[in-house]
Amino acid sequence: MRILDKPELEKRLPWNALIDAIAEALREGKVQSPQRQVLPIAMPDGHTANLLLMPAWVSGEAIGVKAVTYFPQNPEKGLSSINAAYLLFDGATGQLKAVAEGDALTERRTAAASALGARYLVRPDARRLLIVGTGQLSIPVAEAHAAVRDYAEIAVWGRKAEKAQAVADALKAAGLPATTADNLEAAVRAADTISCVTNTTEPLIMGAWLSPGSHLDLIGAFRGDMRESDDEAVRKADIFVDTREGATLAGDLAQPLDAGVIGLHDIRADLAELATGAHPGRTDDEAVTLFKSAGFALEDLAAARLAAG
């Protein structure tokens, strides 16, 4: 049995190889991945935490399951809001093959799936990337996007300037052209790609700010009461998702769907349709594209199999 901690996962899951592994799993179409279970846990202090269970398997080849806890109040205690573990079993014998540190696996597969969407939806000449949010996904998401497009500038915006500076410094140390953004509206208007990794329940990105040809990547809000973009952003964009089942439960799409701002027919394609070529992705350099991801178990299984070797 292999133990895969964060340094080992980072070594075994280079961005382009991981992005390709997720794309290949989508093209093969063999992974069975039921919709994840999100179980609310009422805490004694009145807050609500979540336990997420995400199984997936390829018959006769591999079985995997991830257990994730989400405690939104943890950052106030200096702790990570997301904690997880992944178990990978041999699909032919049922024997345990690997145990992976779930936080790092989630970070890398989430960033890789976002970057895979960007392969099809971000203009090839995109030069300015904006990262909105300074949590644990901000650095891997910036790195993954930089692996699929040659950005001349990567700006980081956060509610706290010192955290944005820390993220920018880490990206610069990794050799990326990072800086901070003080004014969110100005940064969005100037960006070719905007990637949001926050846990906000109130929209941060206004559709009126999105420039023609830009791409809005929404990662952070996974519950129905969470939302990173307003109605106008969703209304004006060509909408793409990782999966229809998962993405439409997240507030960025669930709320405008419930309000009749958009309909299910407005979702152009999911990630599998992009990866298989069933949909060409971006077809208009002036269009605003939007990719909403909520995460799904195929990504975890593809990442774990690649890491376990």
Side-chain angles (χ1 to χ4, degrees):
M1 181 186 71
R2 191 183 296 277
I3 303 295
L4 300 168
D5 61 10
K6 183 171 183 174
E8 192 71 9
L9 286 169
E10 290 176 346
K11 181 174 70 176
R12 290 174 171 269
L13 297 175
W15 290 118
N16 280 305
L18 177 54
I19 294 165
D20 289 343
I22 294 172
E24 184 60 25
L26 290 165
R27 284 192 287 268
E28 288 180 347
K30 297 193 297 183
V31 176
Q32 301 294 310
S33 54
Q35 182 60 38
R36 70 183 178 188
Q37 290 183 282
V38 181
L39 306 175
I41 299 175
M43 302 298 292
D45 61 4
H47 291 105
T48 299
N50 292 100
L51 171 65
L52 293 79
L53 300 175
M54 303 174 67
W57 62 89
V58 176
S59 181
E61 297 182 20
I63 302 168
V65 62
K66 184 171 71 176
V68 184
T69 59
Y70 175 64
F71 281 62
Q73 305 305 313
N74 270 6
E76 298 174 5
K77 307 172 185 176
L79 301 172
S80 171
S81 61
I82 297 173
N83 292 275
Y86 196 87
L87 302 177
L88 179 68
F89 300 89
D90 187 300
T93 66
Q95 292 178 300
L96 184 61
K97 186 175 181 180
V99 177
E101 202 280 314
D103 294 347
L105 187 78
T106 300
E107 289 174 12
R108 293 191 81 79
R109 66 79 154 154
T110 299
S114 174
L116 177 59
R119 275 187 179 177
Y120 304 104
L121 301 174
V122 172
R123 296 192 332 269
D125 63 346
R127 301 294 285 160
R128 295 178 299 275
L129 169 65
L130 172 64
I131 302 297
V132 179
T134 58
Q136 65 195 88
L137 279 172
S138 55
I139 292 172
V141 165
E143 291 177 340
H145 275 270
V148 299
R149 289 292 184 270
D150 184 18
Y151 289 106
E153 177 186 320
I154 300 175
V156 181
W157 179 89
R159 295 185 190 275
K160 296 183 178 180
E162 63 273 18
K163 289 188 175 181
Q165 187 63 59
V167 172
D169 289 345
L171 293 174
K172 283 190 286 188
L176 295 174
T179 185
T180 60
D182 297 325
N183 185 293
L184 181 57
E185 177 180 350
V188 171
R189 289 184 182 276
D192 299 307
T193 304
I194 304 102
S195 189
C196 299
V197 287
T198 75
N199 62 3
T200 183
T201 56
E202 297 293 333
L204 289 170
I205 307 300
M206 305 297 125
W209 302 348
L210 297 170
S211 300
S214 61
H215 175 65
L216 178 58
D217 178 43
L218 301 173
I219 300 173
F222 66 90
R223 296 194 316 251
D225 64 337
M226 301 169 75
R227 193 171 184 186
E228 296 180 305
S229 62
D230 71 351
D231 282 351
E232 180 59 21
V234 176
R235 183 187 293 111
K236 74 187 294 183
D238 292 345
I239 302 170
F240 298 83
V241 297
D242 57 355
T243 68
R244 288 173 172 82
E245 297 81 6
T248 54
L249 296 177
D252 282 292
L253 296 185
Q255 292 182 34
L257 281 167
D258 289 344
V261 174
I262 58 170
L264 291 174
H265 62 275
D266 289 310
I267 298 175
R268 303 296 180 93
D270 62 24
L271 200 51
E273 291 165 328
L274 292 171
T276 60
H279 192 286
R282 175 180 287 274
T283 57
D284 181 353
D285 284 347
E286 293 298 304
V288 172
T289 54
L290 183 155
F291 182 70
K292 175 57 197 168
S293 61
F296 63 116
L298 175 146
E299 300 164 356
D300 298 300
L301 185 61
R305 294 181 76 183
L306 177 63

